[in-house]
Amino acid sequence: MGSGTADARAALPSALAEVLDGYEDHLRAQRDLSEHTVRGYVADVVGLLDHLARRGGEQPHHLDLPALRSWLAQGRTRGHSRATTARRAAAARSFTRWLHRSQLTAEDVGLRLVSPKAHRTLPDVLAPDQARAVVESAAGAEEPVGLRDAVVLELLYASGIRVSELVGLDVDDVDRGRRVLRVLGKGRKERSVPYGVPAEAALDAWLSRGRPALAVAGSGPALLLGVRGRRLDPREARRIVHAATAAAPGAPDVGPHGLRHSAATHVLEGGADLRSVQELLGHASLATTQIYTHVTVERLRAVHAQAHPRA
């Protein structure tokens, strides 16, 4: 939490500070969200309650629709993007819903809050030959770190998992007989994700010759290790991907999420149905997966424009 947010929180009227503490406890204990998500929600709600207090509100029931709207409008005048405004509105609705369910307010005032939807931009996607070049950039390495980097790249592209899911894998989460990963996704939801033969070869090399060389007493069950033998940090995984894409001729600079986007797009282009891709990626809603149909349509347009004689 930034110093500005911490100062605003410390200055809140006692009743508002108390409900904020209760809401934070709810996020941590009841909804099983990541620490990053909890911090984001709390920071947004601190801003909302600080705005309410500056308008003279000192109790939860003083939070009404005009206060919510003026808070969002204030952000817009300060240059907040549509995406940021949509995120802040979602945090406000989560908070007002909790207030009402906790019987701290007579109604859920956030139900009537309308905010702009964030623009969904098309993600950078590697072409199949670019993805192959990126993933194979660490192929042939024999030192432990190189073997580890090869596994990072192969698994991210082969399975389409998130970088947080990748670094969270334990050795026992790999079913090598069936070539399946047991992945713990958002909301602690578990799913099984397949991977292919090249990823299996990289895993075999890492587990037989790479991991034993880096493992220390404190390594625990972590599948992927850093140079000091601890569980691989997601920032290091991102560095590995960015370095690999930088080395691939013509490839856009994408991180782990770019490999995930690319895997999903290539699976769809290969004929998979949207529901299967939803399950592969661990999306709670099919609407989230549908962005990949836009990616494939854009690609189809580009191919049509180049290949059709009357395009």
Side-chain angles (χ1 to χ4, degrees), residues 34-256:
S34 72
E35 183 62 28
H36 176 76
T37 301
V38 170
R39 284 199 302 268
Y41 270 56
V42 169
D44 282 336
V45 173
V46 167
L48 171 60
L49 295 180
D50 176 61
H51 181 74
L52 176 65
R54 292 175 188 274
R55 287 166 56 96
E58 296 185 347
Q59 298 290 334
H61 64 266
H62 292 155
L63 184 59
D64 55 12
L65 192 57
L68 290 174
R69 286 173 172 165
S70 67
W71 176 61
L72 290 179
Q74 181 188 74
R76 293 292 284 170
T77 61
R78 291 176 176 174
H80 288 171
S81 66
R82 287 171 64 94
T84 298
T85 303
R87 187 207 74 216
R88 282 156 56 93
R93 280 191 290 266
S94 169
F95 179 59
T96 61
R97 182 167 59 249
W98 174 80
L99 285 175
H100 182 54
R101 288 179 177 175
S102 302
Q103 300 182 329
L104 294 169
T105 55
E107 64 169 326
D108 180 357
V109 296
L111 285 174
R112 293 180 288 146
L113 182 65
V114 178
S115 67
K117 291 186 177 180
H119 288 302
R120 305 197 72 183
T121 56
L122 295 177
D124 279 329
V125 175
L126 299 170
D129 60 332
Q130 291 173 337
R132 188 180 304 110
V134 167
V135 171
E136 292 179 355
S137 64
E142 286 301 326
E143 74 281 7
V145 170
L147 294 173
R148 191 266 329 272
D149 292 356
V151 171
V152 167
L153 296 167
E154 286 282 4
L155 286 184
L156 283 172
Y157 179 60
S159 63
I161 59 177
R162 302 174 178 94
V163 68
S164 59
E165 296 169 342
L166 175 78
V167 300
L169 289 172
D170 290 338
V171 173
D172 288 345
D173 291 328
V174 182
D175 184 340
R176 298 177 67 187
R178 295 188 301 151
R179 291 209 304 268
V180 168
L181 303 174
R182 185 175 67 232
V183 177
L184 199 61
K186 289 186 176 181
R188 303 286 180 181
K189 292 179 181 176
E190 188 178 294
R191 70 186 190 280
S192 294
V193 181
Y195 59 89
V197 174
E200 168 62 19
L203 266 170
D204 182 66
W206 163 246
L207 290 172
S208 61
R209 306 196 304 277
R211 190 180 186 281
L214 291 181
V216 297
S219 295
L223 174 65
L224 298 171
L225 304 176
V227 291
R228 292 186 175 88
R230 305 291 179 174
R231 185 178 295 274
L232 184 66
D233 189 282
R235 290 170 297 185
E236 179 62 12
R238 292 189 186 95
R239 186 203 63 75
I240 292 166
V241 178
H242 283 295
T245 56
D253 180 23
V254 301

Side-chain angles (χ1 to χ4, degrees), residues 294-308:
H294 304 320
V295 176
T296 54
V297 167
E298 289 300 315
R299 285 196 163 198
L300 187 60
R301 282 199 187 114
V303 169
H304 180 271
Q306 287 184 347
H308 198 286

